[in-house]
Amino acid sequence: MIHNVLIANRGEIAVRIIRGCREMGIRTVAVYSEVDRLSLHTRLADEAYPIGKAPSSESYLVQDRIIATALKAGADAVHPGYGFLAENGDFAARVEKAGLIWIGPPAEAIRLMGDKTVARQRMKEAGVPTVPGTLEPISDEAEALKTAEEIGFPVLLKAAAGGGGKGMRVVSKREEFQPALQTARSEAKSAFGDDRVYIEKYLENPRHIEFQILADKFGHVIHLGERECSIQRRHQKIVEESPSVLLTPEMRQAMGEAAVRAAQACGYRNAGTIEFLVDKNLNYYFLEMNTRLQVEHPVTEETTGIDLVKEQLKIASGIPLGYSQEEIRQTGHAIEVRIYAEDPANNFMPSAGKIQYLRPPGGPGIREDSGIFEDSEVSLYYDSILSKLIVWGKDRNEAVARMARALEEYRLFGIRTTIPFGLAVMKNKNFQTGHFDTGFVEKEFRNGSADVKNLSQIAAIAALLIDRQKAASEIRASANHHHKWESPWKTAGRVENMR
Amino acid sequence: MKYFVTSEEKEYTFDLKEENGEKKFLLNEKPMTVDFKQVGKKPVYSLLVDGKPYDVWAESQNGHYTVAVNGQFYRVKVENERSRLLKQLTRGAESAEGVVLLKAPMPGLVVRVKAEKGARVKKGQGLVLIEAMKMENEIKSPVNGVIGSIAVKQGEAIDKNAVLLEINAE
């Protein structure tokens, strides 16, 4: 069994991994950048070592330093979390070459799934439905245009090395094809150093449904059901839930089996996620595989009762899976709302600074995976996720009501967050009835989100009282009196008398 | 004493008075009960308005308050009879709408300046692109006007509240 894990990450996910390790009696080594000296992961781990300056290119992405720190600290394994180096096949290979266990899939599986065209070919061979389109990158423009017409506009041009929406272009008619191809190529080149682009049928506002899988080194692969992740802003998930209201038991079984085949087809091991798009006619298509632990993994943990971080550690230690597919049960309903340091009333603009006041919700069915605390600084150097609020309920109605209740309870002052946005989603009729797709945020919150500014009168009262109290304390200071706190009424009179 | 409080474009008139030792708090002439206590030493307050509790956070800057009530943010200005009168008297002396400084809402890196000096811009038009937290953020013009001097250039690292450019408002 692994006994000492270096966690090559920060924030809430590093904390999450430390917690899993500690419950299993496994030691943890944290690494931190200059600005993360006081961060929670640095202080919760068994050991913590500095690895460089604030920009991730000078700390959390410096492979040599991370591996050297692991060896120096006597770690026998590396957990990458998500983001940073988690889907870097070369790093996975280097970790193993250094004699350390990589808590993730084999490097070849990461590389295979990282190349979108190779992944599409492999999926097709394994009988996993893929979005109609080309299986090879575009080599000849005229040929490509012909293919686009066969598929039927609108089509999507996507970078073979891609991800995160970069090098992606929607082409709605013939005339736009050639210029769009050029932009997609140059964007792909600058983002990934690889200008290969391929064509897919463009699905308008599909739903995004993914399946969690677990695979051990003995060839056992199981799935843990789905997560519905259609509520997105800027192509980034913000609310996730399990189960999905869309899936029938038959569809769940078919998609789950396809996910297992997808994992088997690339020689997968450890925890992974197969993402599918589902169109209006309930056809599902393989989108991509995330070869790591997902941000939204807690909703699966809450509905199945299986701790995914612990499973990752066991699989990486060479222990066979403790569950068969038949033993996996989804119970109740779980929802996650991601709390980002962004201003939902201002186009999700990042908001950095100090968290001055923090009072998270509690009570039945609430879980929070967070990397923040009162007086912690939110830096602009990293992803803006602060925390993940997860609720469980016996059914979807209870879970939605519970999440709304928890978000109403949540107090975080000092910076702006997506808490009011999450609340607005929970109160949205179409969300409540399950009528939504990936176009939801754009449709429902077109005019700025969460602008339920019905508390303007309360804000006015508060500002007046604070203003009067401030005036009173200024008078006290200038008069050098040592009065006790006075009511705003008295001071209102006193201020006037002094003028 | 009368106070005029503007919260997100809505104006409220308050009256704070003490009659026969009894404190009165009137909003638009209607009495209400308010109670207000600070939470520790932070700018956080618990407010009870006619029995209903609210958690409030406030920050003051240039004579305005930014107030968060539960999770919602408001921009609030507090004036009393005197300061309002003073402002009305001096208004004529102030220059017209004048120069608006576009400031950075957060520290970051200038990715692109999308306007040139002398260009006529519309309210809401994107002027400067700033990268922070791995995302690009468009800073928009708050007014209609003409671009004056530009204080930043592409690739420059900037602090929060750094002046990006001037707009001569129209």
Side-chain angles (χ1 to χ4, degrees):
Chain A
M1 189 74 198
I2 287 168
H3 58 87
N4 194 359
V5 176
L6 179 131
I7 299 158
N9 217 303
R10 64 177 302 283
E12 69 84 18
I13 193 61
V15 173
R16 167 71 189 92
I17 296 161
I18 291 170
R19 287 174 172 154
C21 289
R22 189 150 292 165
E23 289 177 16
M24 291 178 82
I26 297 171
R27 288 181 59 79
T28 52
V29 179
V31 289
Y32 63 92
S33 76
E34 269 175 8
V35 290
D36 274 333
R37 169 61 188 83
L38 289 178
S39 293
L40 212 48
H41 74 287
T42 307
R43 294 153 70 191
L44 283 183
D46 291 302
E47 290 172 54
Y49 298 100
I51 45 156
K53 294 200 160 61
S56 45
S57 60
E58 295 174 47
S59 49
Y60 297 104
L61 292 174
V62 183
Q63 305 186 13
D64 291 338
R65 222 171 289 158
I66 291 169
I67 292 172
T69 306
L71 294 172
K72 193 183 81 188
D76 55 356
V78 173
H79 196 308
Y82 56 70
F84 294 132
L85 296 165
E87 288 178 283
N88 185 320
D90 295 341
F91 181 62
R94 290 186 61 187
V95 165
E96 294 197 319
K97 208 170 154 219
L100 300 161
I101 297 169
W102 169 252
I103 303 172
E108 311 82 70
I110 300 178
R111 292 191 189 115
L112 191 158
M113 284 301 180
D115 189 311
K116 305 302 167 195
T117 51
V118 176
R120 278 165 62 79
Q121 287 168 32
R122 193 64 69 90
M123 289 307 110
K124 196 152 193 205
E125 286 159 20
V128 179
T130 53
V131 181
T134 58
L135 293 174
E136 305 274 348
I138 296 169
S139 49
D140 180 87
E141 264 182 47
E143 191 76 16
L145 181 56
K146 226 175 89 191
T147 313
E149 282 178 322
E150 279 165 22
I151 298 167
F153 288 105
V155 297
L156 198 58
L157 296 172
K158 285 173 95 172
K166 290 206 171 103
M168 207 156 86
R169 276 284 173 289
V170 181
V171 187
S172 48
K173 47 179 185 282
R174 197 176 194 279
E175 302 78 69
E176 292 170 4
F177 188 79
Q178 205 268 340
L181 182 60
Q182 279 187 352
T183 352
R185 272 192 169 146
S186 81
E187 253 183 53
K189 179 87 185 164
S190 74
F192 313 108
D194 178 345
D195 73 349
R196 291 176 307 139
V197 168
Y198 69 99
I199 307 173
E200 260 184 27
K201 172 80 188 150
Y202 176 67
L203 304 175
E204 206 172 327
N205 295 338
R207 288 175 84 128
H208 178 123
I209 295 174
E210 60 186 31
F211 275 72
Q212 176 70 51
I213 64 104
L214 283 175
D216 67 15
K217 69 181 237 186
F218 306 98
H220 307 129
V221 186
I222 58 169
H223 75 83
L224 304 187
E226 78 281 16
R227 291 185 290 257
E228 160 94 58
C229 312
S230 299
I231 310 291
Q232 309 183 347
R233 58 104 184 66
R234 292 180 179 156
H235 300 287
Q236 222 179 11
K237 301 160 190 168
I238 188 155
V239 177
E240 300 99 346
E241 62 182 311
S242 183
S244 163
V245 289
L246 194 68
L247 298 194
T248 58
E250 294 72 34
M251 219 177 144
R252 178 172 297 115
Q253 189 181 344
M255 289 175 80
E257 285 168 5
V260 167
R261 282 201 304 277
Q264 284 164 336
C266 66
Y268 204 79
R269 194 175 64 227
N270 215 288
T273 295
I274 313 290
E275 297 189 333
F276 293 102
L277 295 179
V278 182
D279 71 14
K280 304 245 169 337
N281 305 315
L282 302 186
N283 299 306
Y284 61 91
Y285 306 100
F286 169 82
L287 175 64
E288 61 179 21
M289 181 167 193
N290 294 130
T291 53
R292 55 174 162 82
L293 189 64
Q294 297 274 94
V295 176
E296 60 273 22
H297 75 274
V299 295
T300 299
E301 296 185 324
E302 293 303 309
T303 48
T304 61
I306 293 172
D307 184 316
L308 287 168
V309 171
K310 288 181 184 168
E311 291 304 317
Q312 285 194 295
L313 292 161
K314 283 191 240 169
I315 290 167
S317 298
I319 297 170
L321 278 178
Y323 307 89
S324 65
Q325 189 65 59
E326 294 69 41
E327 288 171 299
I328 304 300
R329 291 271 176 278
Q330 289 172 286
T331 310
H333 199 97
I335 304 176
E336 172 182 282
V337 167
R338 300 187 189 188
I339 299 176
Y340 284 103
E342 291 174 14
D343 184 0
N346 191 8
N347 202 23
F348 296 100
M349 186 86 79
S351 171
K354 184 186 259 193
I355 294 172
Q356 297 177 350
Y357 182 81
L358 183 67
R359 198 193 68 207
I366 308 282
R367 161 175 172 183
E368 190 182 16
D369 282 18
S370 147
I372 54 168
F373 51 93
E374 205 163 278
D375 289 329
S376 58
E377 289 283 345
V378 177
S379 138
L380 281 158
Y381 288 104
Y382 313 111
D383 188 85
S384 60
I385 196 161
L386 299 173
S387 172
K388 300 175 327 203
L389 191 60
I390 304 110
V391 302
W392 184 90
K394 64 182 188 304
D395 53 29
R396 190 169 188 268
N397 287 344
E398 185 178 67
V400 172
R402 180 163 283 163
M403 179 58 86
R405 184 272 287 175
L407 290 167
E408 273 166 0
E409 242 176 68
Y410 210 124
R411 293 286 179 269
L412 191 162
F413 291 131
I415 57 171
R416 311 227 175 176
T417 74
T418 53
I419 292 171
F421 174 78
L423 183 57
V425 173
M426 293 306 125
K427 303 253 178 188
N428 180 285
K429 280 279 167 293
N430 287 330
F431 177 78
Q432 288 174 350
T433 52
H435 293 95
F436 57 85
D437 53 43
T438 45
F440 175 84
V441 173
E442 205 174 297
K443 260 185 291 208
E444 305 283 334
F445 298 95
R446 187 167 293 157
N447 306 316
S449 50
D451 49 355
V452 263
K453 294 239 167 184
N454 50 359
L455 295 169
S456 121
Q457 181 182 313
I458 302 301
I461 294 170
L464 173 62
L465 293 170
I466 292 163
D467 190 72
R468 292 296 84 214
Q469 194 197 46
K470 220 172 77 179
S473 64
E474 276 162 16
I475 293 163
R476 277 207 306 279
S478 66
N480 203 16
H481 281 171
H482 297 281
H483 287 297
K484 285 194 180 138
W485 189 83
E486 292 182 65
S487 78
W489 285 265
K490 267 194 191 157
T491 52
R494 191 184 303 250
V495 174
E496 296 325 313
N497 293 339
M498 282 185 61
R499 291 184 192 224
Chain B
M1 184 72 176
K2 273 214 164 84
Y3 295 91
F4 307 99
V5 184
T6 318
S7 176
E8 294 294 325
E9 333 227 306
K10 250 189 171 160
E11 187 177 289
Y12 302 89
T13 306
F14 293 98
D15 207 347
L16 266 68
K17 46 183 160 186
E18 208 165 333
E19 279 171 7
N20 310 325
E22 201 192 337
K23 298 162 188 170
K24 288 214 168 128
F25 189 97
L26 300 120
L27 167 58
N28 300 333
E29 322 232 305
K30 268 195 238 138
M32 58 195 334
T33 61
V34 294
D35 186 52
F36 139 96
K37 283 247 181 318
Q38 190 164 4
V39 180
K41 291 196 160 74
K42 315 233 169 203
V44 177
Y45 306 83
S46 166
L47 191 63
L48 283 170
V49 178
D50 287 334
K52 292 186 196 73
Y54 301 92
D55 286 326
V56 172
W57 169 91
E59 185 180 68
S60 79
Q61 205 180 14
N62 308 329
H64 279 88
Y65 286 92
T66 302
V67 180
V69 185
N70 302 346
Q72 302 289 334
F73 284 81
Y74 302 85
R75 199 172 146 77
V76 187
K77 190 167 178 62
V78 179
E79 295 170 286
N80 59 27
E81 287 160 299
R82 232 163 270 188
S83 62
R84 171 158 287 197
L85 189 67
L86 208 65
K87 199 173 130 197
Q88 279 163 358
L89 289 173
T90 54
R91 180 161 290 165
E94 280 174 33
S95 60
E97 281 308 314
V99 177
V100 175
L101 299 176
L102 188 71
K103 291 182 180 173
M106 69 232 153
L109 198 72
V110 176
V111 179
R112 198 157 63 242
V113 181
K114 299 169 83 174
E116 282 172 22
K117 188 171 175 172
R120 178 155 272 118
V121 294
K122 286 212 171 70
K123 183 174 174 176
Q125 183 178 336
L127 298 181
V128 182
L129 216 53
I130 295 179
E131 189 189 291
M133 284 178 172
K134 311 260 161 232
M135 282 181 288
E136 289 184 357
N137 303 280
E138 202 173 51
I139 314 303
K140 299 186 170 103
S141 178
V143 291
N144 293 325
V146 176
I147 303 290
S149 65
I150 295 173
V152 292
K153 55 182 187 295
Q154 194 169 325
E156 192 177 329
I158 46 159
D159 289 329
K160 186 177 175 168
N161 288 328
V163 174
L164 303 171
L165 48 80
E166 288 177 0
I167 308 159
N168 296 300
E170 290 180 336

